Amino acid sequence: MSFWEYANPKKFIATTTPILPWAFGIAAACLIVGLVWGFFFTPDDIRQGSTVKIIYLHVPAAMMAINVWGMMLVTSLIWLIRRHHVSALAARAAAPIGIVMTLIALVTGAIWGQPMWGTWWAWDPRLTSFLILFLFYLGYMALWEAIDDPDTAADLTSILCIVGSVFAFLSRFAVQFWNQGLHQAESVSLWEWTFNVIARFFAFVWNSIFGAEQVIEVAVREENVSNVFFVPLLICMIGFVVLFVALVFQRTTTEIRVRRIRALESRARRG
Amino acid sequence: MIALLARDLRLAVRAGGGFGLGLAFFLIVIVLIPFGVGPEASVLTRIAPGVLWVAALLAALLSLDRIFALDHEDGSLPLLATSPLPLEGVALTKGVAHWLTTGLPLTLAAPALGFLLNLAPAAYPYLLASLALGTPALSMIGTFGAALTVGIRRGGLLLSLLVLPLYVPTLIFGAEAVRLGSDGLSATVPLAMLSGITLFSYALLPFATAAALRINLR
Amino acid sequence: MMLTVENVTCARGGMPVLSGVSFALDAGQALVLRGPNGCGKTTLLRTLAGLQSPLAGSVTFPEDEGAYASHADGIKAQLSVTENLSFWADVHGRPMPDDVFTSFDLDDLRDRLAGTLSAGQKRRLGLARLGVIGRKVLFLDEPTVSLDGFSVRMFADFLRDKHLAQGGVAVIATHIDLGLDAPEMDLTPFKADHTATGGSDEAFL
């Protein structure tokens, strides 16, 4: 039994349909638990106060914004190499989810920035990169919409996705270079904080397994970070991933049905 | 390839639109800027590098949809595809021809427009160098976008939407080079990055462009 | 054999239109394709010329010998007649044959801009391209549209005396009688039915 069996549209729908309610259920459970835990049962950060709690939305959304593009890149390559229609349709189905994730990351970033930087928008390299990613998603979706023939559209959007990935990567470095001077004094960074949380957690796990003599060095920049933040964040991340999987299955199924209607119509016309 | 290049250049000169329109657009945008931000010389000096680069980029964008659309309309494209010329070569030639008819004139005109925006004297060599190194990349990336949208009626707007995000790194390094130059700092890094992007575009994008053309010819 | 077509299925917009098309042409032979509008003549010719790949079957002819000509001539209005032709000669890396102007009655028009030519003159210029590029295997899609009777005979003479006589082959889709001594093939029996496989919608049915 091969993995590629699931590239058959019927098999794909038959396999994913029973999974869907479970996926949506798990996603809802994770998000409710993670967000309530994160918002109400974790302490405030000493320097950032309660504003830091936006990480429970911001970080998973930002993570998904990038990963969805990565998934589209993989499915585009699969389409170009193996010509599985489901793969191309999955890329098409994922793009609107990706753009919403990017939008959530941008908006939550702005909301966090208002009290911290005193402005809704700063041309911070990270925020700027997400803005550029947003534009890439926009162009990709517009190209899908503009072409009538589904196979031509799939081919061209796949090529755009591959070339776009390279240039998105380049833009990331360009933006970092461009704004290196501006925020040198920027001491409070949401992402540094998050990385600290994650690093602290793994250090904690490592130390409790291997004992104190195996202590690993973690570059901890802020003393007040503790692993109580990590577990709810992890639950939220899992929630976002499962939610994405559920949504992408649902939307791919819809796209497959649209194609099927189109195929049946053209067969009927042909007689 | 030389025959195709010569033909495209000849067409650009004869049709009149190729050279003139982009340059005129560049001039008009630069003239409009002071009306928008005010005539204060120090403000203009500060924004001049970025404004010049953005205006040059938009002027290059203007003529992108002509790269393949004309050949598509009169049926030259399938004839070129069945000729001994590989489509990758066609793509590369089209990119070079676009640069010679838009990027190069824009580069040469930019210093003159720099005077209008009171560009710092130290910045002129960097303006010339960054445009000379960066606009070829704009042409090749634009050729790729034009190949993607060649089959779409009124694809001009979509073309801009697809191409502009791809222009971000070039714009950042280009304008940064001029900005550093005008502050009297060394601009080696952005200029090197700019040449890197250009070389990279010309090495790889012809293949993507040819693939897109083949799909659109089906 | 110069051109061998075996069991070709071709598709338009992802839908099979013709299937099981087979024929073979020896040097000096031509084939005229017939069939009602929309039966897939253009699609078949584009497939044979290699602009799109067949869903099934194979097309073989000597490499770099195929040429395709359709209603669109690829003529640039801003270039003169000579410039248009010498461009295609250069692209194909061949010298410009001087008799091509006579063959297509373009002698008096050499320096005229193509944009100022009449529709029939333009068509002759487009066809003259075939005399310039020196390809042996021609795929011609309605070559005689907007030509008068005299020009049609002139083109037929060119095909017979300059092309086929020198070992070329041609597949021609046309509705009028060119006066060539060529077999005709009606495409109607090859119309793809629901049993034709390979369409892009197939996975969804």
Side-chain angles (χ1 to χ4, degrees):
Chain A
M1 179 164 144
S2 150
F3 168 72
W4 299 114
E5 258 178 48
Y6 297 97
N8 176 303
K10 282 183 201 120
K11 174 100 178 160
F12 180 87
I13 292 181
T15 316
T16 54
T17 310
I19 299 175
L20 270 181
W22 289 97
F24 276 117
I26 293 170
C30 283
L31 286 177
I32 290 168
V33 170
L35 289 178
V36 170
W37 185 349
F39 284 160
F40 301 109
F41 299 99
T42 54
D44 287 356
D45 182 68
I46 285 178
R47 288 163 69 196
Q48 303 187 39
S50 56
T51 51
V52 83
K53 290 182 175 176
I54 208 159
I55 61 158
Y56 300 111
L57 277 173
H58 181 75
V59 171
M63 177 185 81
M64 291 316 292
I66 298 166
N67 290 354
V68 171
W69 186 274
M71 172 239 163
M72 281 157 53
L73 177 62
V74 172
T75 48
S76 295
L77 283 170
I78 292 175
W79 160 248
L80 286 180
I81 296 166
R82 297 198 55 132
R83 312 300 285 179
H84 292 312
H85 288 88
V86 172
S87 187
L89 293 179
R92 177 177 194 167
I97 309 172
I99 202 170
V100 169
M101 292 294 179
T102 316
L103 209 57
I104 293 175
L106 282 172
V107 170
T108 51
I111 291 172
W112 176 82
Q114 215 288 324
M116 298 321 294
W117 294 336
T119 166
W120 290 104
W121 182 262
W123 289 92
D124 165 73
R126 247 183 214 104
L127 277 180
T128 311
S129 300
F130 278 99
L131 196 59
I132 296 169
L133 186 61
F134 182 78
L135 298 179
F136 274 101
Y137 274 118
L138 219 55
Y140 177 87
M141 286 163 60
L143 189 60
W144 261 112
E145 294 305 320
I147 304 168
D148 293 328
D149 182 68
D151 276 12
T152 308
D155 282 329
L156 293 178
T157 50
S158 297
I159 295 176
L160 177 68
C161 184
I162 294 166
V163 172
S165 304
V166 176
F167 277 87
F169 207 65
L170 267 177
S171 303
R172 176 85 185 90
F173 287 105
V175 164
Q176 256 169 349
F177 173 83
W178 161 73
N179 204 351
Q180 59 189 192
L182 218 73
H183 284 280
Q184 255 171 9
E186 191 67 67
S187 56
V188 195
S189 157
L190 202 54
W191 279 84
E192 231 168 69
W193 190 90
T194 311
F195 288 138
N196 264 320
V197 169
I198 295 170
R200 266 303 193 98
F201 179 78
F202 283 110
F204 169 77
V205 171
W206 184 272
N207 291 344
S208 41
I209 293 172
F210 295 104
E213 62 269 29
Q214 291 277 331
V215 177
I216 55 162
E217 284 295 318
V218 183
V220 181
R221 298 181 193 86
E222 290 177 44
E223 286 309 307
N224 54 327
V225 174
S226 112
N227 55 40
V228 295
F229 297 106
F230 183 74
V231 179
L233 180 61
L234 187 68
I235 294 174
C236 284
M237 282 177 169
I238 293 170
F240 266 74
V241 171
V242 179
L243 179 66
F244 167 70
V245 170
L247 284 173
V248 98
F249 279 175
Q250 174 88 67
R251 289 185 51 84
T252 309
T253 306
T254 313
E255 294 287 349
I256 289 173
R257 291 196 169 124
V258 169
R259 263 311 287 277
R260 186 169 153 76
I261 290 168
R262 205 189 135 96
L264 290 173
E265 272 176 352
S266 67
R267 188 170 71 175
R269 261 201 312 277
R270 205 155 48 126
Chain B
M1 280 166 79
I2 291 173
L4 182 60
L5 187 64
R7 182 190 74 152
D8 274 11
L9 295 182
R10 196 178 277 160
L11 282 175
V13 176
R14 295 234 177 124
F19 276 122
L21 229 64
L23 271 181
F25 180 81
F26 192 30
L27 173 71
I28 290 171
V29 171
I30 296 299
V31 168
L32 286 180
I33 294 295
F35 297 145
V37 300
E40 204 183 317
S42 63
V43 174
L44 288 178
T45 306
R46 215 179 64 231
I47 64 167
V51 167
L52 282 165
W53 249 94
V54 172
L57 185 148
L58 293 177
L61 191 71
L62 207 59
S63 52
L64 285 182
D65 59 342
R66 300 165 58 98
I67 295 180
F68 290 118
L70 297 179
D71 281 344
H72 185 66
E73 277 163 23
D74 65 18
S76 302
L77 220 45
L79 303 185
L80 281 171
T82 49
S83 78
L85 211 58
L87 269 180
E88 285 79 4
V90 173
L92 182 66
T93 313
K94 288 285 181 181
V96 173
H98 182 261
W99 181 70
L100 288 175
T101 52
T102 53
L104 187 63
L106 288 175
T107 306
L108 297 177
L113 299 179
F115 287 115
L116 289 179
L117 291 184
N118 201 27
L119 187 68
Y124 283 95
Y126 291 98
L127 179 67
L128 266 176
S130 70
L131 282 172
L133 290 172
T135 46
L138 299 184
S139 292
M140 195 61 237
I141 297 168
T143 307
F144 166 67
L148 282 181
T149 54
V150 71
I152 302 168
R153 239 172 258 278
R154 282 187 254 288
L157 203 61
L158 178 66
L159 175 60
S160 318
L161 186 61
L162 297 184
V163 162
L164 283 175
L166 301 176
Y167 276 176
V168 168
T170 319
L171 173 64
I172 287 179
F173 287 119
E176 189 72 16
V178 187
R179 200 156 43 232
L180 289 173
S182 76
D183 293 345
L185 301 167
S186 158
T188 324
V189 176
L191 286 180
M193 292 302 290
L194 213 50
S195 350
I197 292 173
T198 298
L199 291 175
F200 168 81
S201 305
Y202 277 84
L204 294 182
L205 282 182
F207 296 99
T209 311
L213 282 179
R214 276 194 195 100
I215 292 160
N216 272 321
L217 278 174
R218 275 201 308 239
Chain C
M1 285 294 150
M2 278 292 276
L3 171 68
T4 314
V5 177
E6 275 178 287
N7 217 0
V8 160
T9 302
C10 55
R12 180 176 51 218
M15 294 259 292
V17 282
L18 292 169
S19 65
V21 182
S22 300
F23 59 86
L25 293 179
D26 226 339
Q29 288 184 319
L31 179 72
V32 175
L33 301 178
R34 303 267 183 195
N37 286 334
C39 77
K41 291 191 295 286
T42 299
T43 311
L44 179 62
L45 283 170
R46 290 177 65 91
T47 310
L48 296 182
L51 287 168
Q52 56 187 71
S53 46
L55 293 181
S58 68
V59 182
T60 34
F61 54 84
E63 200 180 346
D64 269 350
E65 281 297 352
Y68 171 76
S70 71
H71 328 271
D73 307 284
I75 287 169
K76 294 291 175 192
Q78 299 90 351
L79 299 181
S80 76
V81 169
T82 313
E83 283 170 334
N84 264 305
L85 287 179
S86 62
F87 163 67
W88 289 110
D90 286 349
V91 164
H92 286 259
R94 294 180 65 88
M96 180 82 174
D98 214 45
D99 61 343
V100 75
F101 292 103
T102 325
S103 303
F104 290 91
D105 194 19
L106 293 167
D107 264 322
D108 302 335
L109 304 169
R110 284 183 189 226
D111 296 322
R112 283 265 294 277
L113 285 185
T116 65
L117 299 178
S118 75
Q121 287 169 329
K122 255 188 213 161
R123 198 75 202 97
R124 291 214 301 270
L125 172 56
L127 292 171
R129 187 183 69 89
L130 299 171
V132 162
I133 61 178
R135 291 261 162 133
K136 289 272 185 247
V137 184
L138 301 185
F139 303 103
L140 308 175
D141 189 6
E142 302 285 1
T144 53
V145 169
S146 71
L147 285 185
D148 56 19
F150 174 70
S151 305
V152 169
R153 276 193 302 282
M154 201 168 54
F155 176 60
D157 289 342
F158 162 79
L159 272 184
R160 192 185 317 111
D161 303 336
K162 294 265 165 55
H163 182 67
L164 299 175
Q166 291 178 11
V169 299
V171 183
I172 309 157
T174 182
H175 288 289
I176 63 155
D177 185 22
L178 277 173
L180 290 175
D181 182 25
E184 295 189 357
M185 185 162 111
D186 188 5
L187 289 178
T188 324
F190 299 102
K191 187 174 187 295
D193 53 14
H194 59 276
T195 58
T197 55
S200 64
D201 284 341
E202 201 167 80
F204 297 94
L205 289 171

